[in-house]
Amino acid sequence: MAQFPKPLGRLVGELSKLPGIGNKTAQRLAYYILSLPDQEAEALASSISEAKHTMHYCSVCGNLTDRDPCEICSDPSRRDDVICVVETPQDVMAMERIREYQGQYHVLNGVISPMEGIGPEDINLRSLIVRLQQHPEITEVILATNPNIEGEATAMYIARLLKPSGIRVTRIAHGLPVGGDLEYADEVTLLKAVEGRTEL
Amino acid sequence: MAQFPKPLGRLVGELSKLPGIGNKTAQRLAYYILSLPDQEAEALASSISEAKHTMHYCSVCGNLTDRDPCEICSDPSRRDDVICVVETPQDVMAMERIREYQGQYHVLNGVISPMEGIGPEDINLRSLIVRLQQHPEITEVILATNPNIEGEATAMYIARLLKPSGIRVTRIAHGLPVGGDLEYADEVTLLKAVEGRTEL
C-alpha cells in the first residue's frame, strides 16, 4: 500500500495536532493547502509565524497583544476605575462584544485547578495585586471567570485575597441564558437564577 | 470595542479561508496556535511551506508526490498492465486503502464539467492517451471517477476516446454500499444495483 509522501504526511500530522481537527479533516485541509496558489499557502504559513513572533502578553493586563501595553490598557478613553478579571484573551473579546463594558481588564491566562496542579502562583494573579496597589483609582474588581468549578474557586480565592484592601469585588451573575428554557435548565443554574433574582 | 490585534486578525483570516473552518473555529485555532511553544507553531508553519515547495504532480501519472516519478509509478513490484483513472490524489489513497489493487494510476486532477467551463483539455487527460500509446503492455483501463454527473460524464468521455484503441475499458460498479439499507437507498443507486447484478 502506498503511503503519504513525507512532506504531505508531515503536514497532515501537524494539522491533526490542532484541536478539533481529526486525521480525516487534516488530510482534507492538507490537500486543499497543496491545491492553493503558492502565495496563498505562503500567506497561511507566514501568518502563523508572524502571529507567533509578534504576539505576546501585555505587561500590564496579561492580554495577548502585538504592542505593549496593549490596545485596551493604552486607550485613554476607557474608564480606569474598574478592572474585569477574566481567564483568557478570548474572554476579553467576548466581553468586548457586549459593547457595554468600558473599563480595564486583567487576564489570568489560566485558572486555579488543584486537580491539574495549577495553584495561584501559576496564573497571572500576583500582577493584579501589584496593579491594585499602584492604582488607588481602581474601586471595583469584576470577577468574570467561567461559571464552572475552577472558575468559581478562582473567583472565591481572588475575592478573599482582595477583601482586606476594601476594594469592591463583584461576580458576574449566574442565571438562565437569554432565550433559554426554564424547563431544560439544570438545577444548579435555576437555583442560582432564583438566588440572584432582582427587584423589578 | 477593542479589535483583534493585527497579526492575530490576519491569522484568523487566513485560517478561516480553509474549507470547513468558520470564523469561530479559526479564532479557536489561532488562540491555540499562539498558546503553543515556539517550535511547535514553527513546525506547523514550516510543514505548510515545505509541503507546498516539495510536493508536485508526478510527470507520469499526475499524482501528488515529492519525487518524480512518484512512489507508485517507480515501484517495480506493481502490475504494469492496468491503469486506474481517478479524479484526485485523495482518490489514489482511497484505492490504496483497499489493499487489493496493484496496478498503476492516472490522476486527472479534475473532472469534465461544462457547468464550470472545465473541458477535456483542462484535465490531465492528454498524458493518459500518450501513456497508453507508449505502453502497449497496458491492457485495461479502470475508470474510477466519482459516481456523480461530472464523474460519469468524464468516464463516458474517456471510454469513447479509448474505444478505437481496443484497450479494455471498465467502470467501477455502482450499487448499494456494504452495510447499507435497501429501504433507504435512492432510486438511481438501487436501479444501478439491479442492473449491475452478478451471477452467484
Side-chain angles (χ1 to χ4, degrees):
Chain A
M1 188 176 123
Q3 299 293 315
F4 279 131
K6 248 203 192 124
L8 180 57
R10 195 182 143 222
L11 178 55
V12 171
E14 289 295 334
L15 289 170
S16 62
K17 286 182 195 167
L18 296 173
I21 309 277
N23 194 269
K24 202 83 195 176
T25 307
Q27 285 180 31
R28 195 163 47 89
L29 293 177
Y31 279 113
Y32 176 82
I33 289 170
L34 288 179
S35 77
L36 289 175
D38 274 358
Q39 70 269 31
E40 281 183 39
E42 212 37 68
L44 172 60
S46 72
S47 71
I48 293 170
S49 301
E50 189 203 340
K52 192 63 198 164
H53 285 137
T54 58
M55 299 291 291
H56 51 86
Y57 295 118
C58 171
S59 62
V60 178
C61 72
N63 194 9
L64 271 175
T65 176
D66 58 342
R67 68 190 83 172
D68 199 26
C70 74
E71 197 192 354
I72 295 175
C73 287
S74 55
D75 182 349
S77 72
R78 298 187 72 111
R79 290 174 55 179
D80 58 1
D81 59 342
V82 51
I83 286 190
C84 176
V85 177
V86 294
E87 292 179 20
T88 66
Q90 291 96 303
D91 298 335
V92 171
M93 297 313 291
M95 284 293 295
E96 286 296 289
R97 278 197 293 275
I98 64 176
R99 292 168 183 274
E100 183 66 36
Y101 179 73
Q102 289 294 328
Q104 309 295 316
Y105 289 97
H106 197 84
V107 184
L108 299 175
N109 287 308
V111 70
I112 298 172
S113 171
M115 291 281 284
E116 296 178 41
I118 302 170
E121 300 303 311
D122 303 314
I123 61 177
N124 183 31
L125 186 51
R126 188 189 296 262
S127 64
L128 173 66
I129 310 301
V130 175
R131 212 173 154 191
L132 292 174
Q133 284 165 347
Q134 289 174 344
H135 295 275
E137 69 270 24
I138 299 165
T139 55
E140 179 176 359
V141 172
I142 302 172
L143 298 174
T145 51
N146 283 326
N148 53 29
I149 294 177
E150 286 90 0
E152 288 299 335
T154 306
M156 285 303 136
Y157 182 89
I158 298 174
R160 230 174 308 141
L161 201 67
L162 300 185
K163 191 120 201 196
S165 69
I167 295 172
R168 184 177 175 219
V169 179
T170 56
R171 177 86 174 107
I172 53 169
H174 291 310
L176 294 176
V178 176
D181 201 319
L182 210 80
E183 185 182 350
Y184 300 114
D186 65 288
E187 293 80 2
V188 184
T189 300
L190 197 50
L191 176 66
K192 294 277 185 184
V194 173
E195 283 177 356
R197 67 193 180 278
T198 54
E199 207 79 48
L200 283 185
Chain B
M1 187 175 124
Q3 300 293 315
F4 279 131
K6 248 205 192 121
L8 180 57
R10 196 182 142 223
L11 178 55
V12 171
E14 290 294 335
L15 289 171
S16 62
K17 286 182 194 167
L18 296 174
I21 309 278
N23 194 268
K24 202 85 194 176
T25 307
Q27 285 180 31
R28 195 163 48 87
L29 292 178
Y31 279 114
Y32 175 82
I33 289 169
L34 288 179
S35 78
L36 288 175
D38 275 357
Q39 70 269 32
E40 282 183 38
E42 212 38 68
L44 173 60
S46 72
S47 71
I48 293 170
S49 302
E50 189 204 339
K52 192 64 197 163
H53 284 138
T54 58
M55 299 291 291
H56 51 83
Y57 294 119
C58 172
S59 61
V60 177
C61 72
N63 193 10
L64 270 175
T65 176
D66 58 342
R67 68 189 84 171
D68 199 25
C70 74
E71 196 192 352
I72 296 176
C73 286
S74 55
D75 182 349
S77 73
R78 297 187 73 110
R79 289 174 54 178
D80 58 1
D81 59 342
V82 51
I83 287 190
C84 176
V85 177
V86 294
E87 293 180 20
T88 66
Q90 292 96 303
D91 297 336
V92 172
M93 296 313 292
M95 283 293 295
E96 286 296 290
R97 277 197 293 275
I98 65 176
R99 292 167 184 272
E100 183 66 35
Y101 179 73
Q102 288 294 328
Q104 309 295 316
Y105 289 98
H106 197 84
V107 184
L108 299 175
N109 287 307
V111 70
I112 297 172
S113 171
M115 291 280 284
E116 295 179 42
I118 302 170
E121 299 302 310
D122 303 314
I123 61 176
N124 184 32
L125 186 51
R126 189 190 296 260
S127 64
L128 173 65
I129 311 301
V130 175
R131 211 173 155 191
L132 293 174
Q133 284 165 347
Q134 289 175 342
H135 295 275
E137 68 270 25
I138 299 166
T139 54
E140 179 176 359
V141 172
I142 302 172
L143 298 174
T145 51
N146 283 326
N148 53 29
I149 295 176
E150 287 90 359
E152 287 299 337
T154 305
M156 286 302 137
Y157 182 89
I158 298 175
R160 229 175 308 140
L161 200 68
L162 300 185
K163 190 120 201 196
S165 69
I167 295 171
R168 184 176 175 219
V169 179
T170 56
R171 177 86 174 108
I172 53 168
H174 293 310
L176 294 176
V178 176
D181 201 319
L182 209 80
E183 185 181 349
Y184 300 115
D186 65 288
E187 293 80 3
V188 185
T189 300
L190 199 48
L191 175 66
K192 294 276 185 185
V194 173
E195 284 178 356
R197 67 193 180 277
T198 55
E199 207 78 48
L200 283 185

